[in-house]
Amino acid sequence: MKKKILEFFKNTTVRIISLMLLMLFALSVFLFYDVYVYQVKKCVSFYWVYRGDKYYKKNKTQLAIDCYKKALTYYPEHYRARYNLANIYVVYEDYQSALEEYSKALEVKPDFMIARIDYALVLSSAAFDHDKAIAEYKKAIEKKPKWVYIPFFINNRETYKYNSAVAYYNMGIAYRAKSLLVGENKFSAKEYLRLSAEAYRNALKNLKNYEIYYNLALTHQLLKNNKEAGRNYCKAIELEPLKYEAHYNLAILLRDMKMYRDSIDEFKKAGLILDIDGESIKTRYIYDVLSGVTQKMVLSGDYDYLANKSEDNKNDKYGDNLTYSGGKLVFTGEYDRSVARSFRICAAKEYFESEDKE
């Protein structure tokens, strides 16, 4: 009997507590209805973003767009959905829609650094609003996040350093573009080029990269800072010895400095790289320019160098180490690696280093 009474009270207590909890839940729903609805919509939105991300990774862009748009109808503050949507619009070259989505994402999360950089990039390259783009790059750099470091998982300080280098690099491109738009105002053009060079130098503090060195060298070449241009072309070549642009521009620089021997060497490297890549039209153009430099060298009276080069050709410098495959000139085996090593040293490296030391 006693056992039955205890079970009755126990079951009654459980029922009362359950009823009270149910009443409290009903009361909370009544009092905080909008909060519950908001959270439910947010969860539904995250589900559609999840589906959109899966389609995005599979390059099913239209399905991804549909999912992101549906997600934003439930939760308009989902900044990652807007960011991914903007990236897809860039692919479709719908730049106006992309700018709108980047802007809305940044309204929700102002410190979303990569979104601000991409926003600025579209402003500069597609909308040609270089001033606003530069302002956005500066904002991206200035908004430093709270540093988080978890070994082997996350180190946002390194991520920030990389992204700031990207922002500075693109800022340099925007300044150089502005220098081309000022027309005959040489003072303004020179000032924008100076700011461009400064941005590239800031980028190099956090990232040593061929494109940054190359563009810094090109900017100094436009500014007639020959020593700075040559030194940075050499650094670009050290990083990427088989990219012809740095060799070609360095050859032009050396030609203008009347350093014909070094210029010829760099022209030949650029031509050979293009020949390997099957770029016959560009190769022909480079060898036409090379012919002009050779003529200038003859007029300067430097016959010994040309005679030595002629003897090198008789000895067949490349010999059996070159072959054709698929219509392209191809290096073989160890020779390929030795050429890469020799191309890594620019023709005038000692000159530029000695000038720099002075």
Side-chain angles (χ1 to χ4, degrees):
M1 183 69 178
K2 184 177 180 182
K3 185 177 180 181
K4 289 182 178 180
I5 294 172
L6 288 172
E7 287 180 358
F8 172 79
F9 278 109
K10 182 179 180 181
N11 292 334
T12 302
T13 303
V14 170
R15 291 191 187 98
I16 291 172
I17 292 173
S18 299
L19 182 61
M20 289 178 65
L21 290 173
L22 183 62
M23 291 175 65
L24 286 171
F25 175 73
L27 181 62
S28 69
V29 170
F30 176 77
L31 293 174
F32 303 105
Y33 176 78
D34 292 339
V35 175
Y36 277 102
V37 170
Y38 176 78
Q39 293 300 327
V40 170
K41 286 184 175 181
K42 192 173 180 180
C43 290
V44 174
S45 173
F46 274 71
Y47 164 74
W48 284 109
V49 170
Y50 166 76
R51 289 191 59 179
D53 288 344
K54 290 186 71 175
Y55 286 129
Y56 190 14
K57 290 176 181 177
K58 294 178 181 179
N59 291 321
K60 296 180 179 180
T61 51
Q62 189 54 57
L63 291 172
I65 288 173
D66 294 340
C67 288
Y68 290 138
K69 284 185 173 180
K70 189 168 287 189
L72 291 169
T73 61
Y74 289 101
Y75 181 48
E77 293 83 11
H78 202 303
Y79 58 88
R80 288 235 170 237
R82 292 199 180 277
Y83 174 67
N84 287 345
L85 194 55
N87 290 338
I88 295 173
Y89 284 139
V90 170
V91 173
Y92 282 128
E93 297 185 2
D94 184 357
Y95 299 117
Q96 189 57 45
S97 296
L99 289 172
E100 289 176 7
E101 295 301 332
Y102 283 134
S103 180
K104 289 176 181 177
L106 290 167
E107 287 176 9
V108 178
K109 189 173 176 59
D111 62 346
F112 195 178
M113 189 175 188
I114 191 64
R116 195 172 292 280
I117 291 171
D118 289 342
Y119 177 49
L121 186 58
V122 175
L123 281 170
S124 182
S125 60
F128 304 107
D129 191 345
H130 303 300
D131 290 323
K132 189 172 182 180
I134 290 167
E136 292 298 324
Y137 287 131
K138 290 179 178 178
K139 284 182 186 177
I141 295 163
E142 289 167 359
K143 288 186 177 296
K144 295 182 180 180
K146 292 181 179 178
W147 305 125
V148 178
Y149 175 65
I150 302 174
F152 308 110
F153 287 97
I154 185 172
N155 184 359
N156 67 344
R157 187 185 293 273
E158 291 302 314
T159 303
Y160 169 80
K161 287 170 65 177
Y162 175 83
N163 288 337
S164 64
V166 172
Y168 274 123
Y169 169 73
N170 286 306
M171 191 191 303
I173 292 176
Y175 274 125
R176 197 171 75 203
K178 281 178 67 65
S179 74
L180 299 174
L181 297 175
V182 295
E184 296 181 359
N185 190 334
K186 293 183 179 180
F187 177 81
S188 295
K190 189 172 183 179
E191 179 61 16
Y192 287 135
L193 286 173
R194 187 191 66 77
L195 290 170
S196 176
E198 182 181 342
Y200 291 135
R201 283 194 295 271
N202 284 326
L204 286 169
K205 292 176 182 177
N206 293 320
L207 182 65
K208 308 301 181 186
N209 176 278
Y210 169 86
E211 295 294 339
I212 302 173
Y213 277 122
Y214 172 77
N215 280 281
L216 177 57
L218 179 59
T219 302
H220 279 301
Q221 190 171 3
L222 293 170
L223 285 167
K224 307 298 182 184
N225 297 335
N226 293 339
K227 292 185 290 184
E228 290 292 325
R231 188 173 76 246
N232 284 289
Y233 278 133
C234 287
K235 288 182 178 179
I237 288 167
E238 286 174 11
L239 292 174
E240 297 285 349
L242 297 181
K243 287 193 175 182
Y244 87 93
E245 296 95 338
H247 290 289
Y248 174 76
N249 279 14
L250 179 57
I252 294 292
L253 175 69
L254 292 166
R255 181 198 65 183
D256 294 343
M257 295 171 67
K258 296 183 170 50
M259 298 174 65
Y260 297 124
R261 292 191 181 197
D262 293 318
S263 177
I264 288 172
D265 286 344
E266 290 301 323
F267 272 126
K268 286 183 177 179
K269 290 175 185 176
L272 186 56
I273 291 167
L274 286 172
D275 199 11
I276 293 168
D277 292 337
E279 298 279 357
S280 58
I281 296 175
K282 290 181 180 178
T283 305
R284 192 178 306 118
Y285 171 77
I286 283 181
Y287 282 116
D288 286 342
V289 178
L290 174 60
S291 177
V293 176
T294 305
Q295 289 176 17
K296 288 185 177 182
M297 194 169 190
V298 170
L299 292 173
S300 71
D302 194 350
Y303 300 106
D304 294 339
Y305 175 77
L306 295 175
N308 292 335
K309 287 297 176 183
S310 177
E311 188 64 30
D312 287 342
N313 291 334
K314 288 180 182 178
N315 294 331
D316 194 5
K317 185 178 180 181
Y318 301 116
D320 296 331
N321 295 303
L322 292 177
T323 185
Y324 273 92
S325 176
K328 295 182 179 181
L329 190 64
V330 178
F331 290 124
T332 58
E334 177 61 29
Y335 194 72
D336 189 9
R337 291 184 287 274
S338 68
V339 166
R341 287 194 295 270
S342 65
F343 275 33
R344 187 169 279 114
I345 302 173
C346 67
K349 182 177 181 179
E350 291 184 4
Y351 169 79
F352 291 119
E353 286 183 347
S354 64
E355 287 291 305
D356 188 53
K357 288 175 182 176
E358 291 175 5

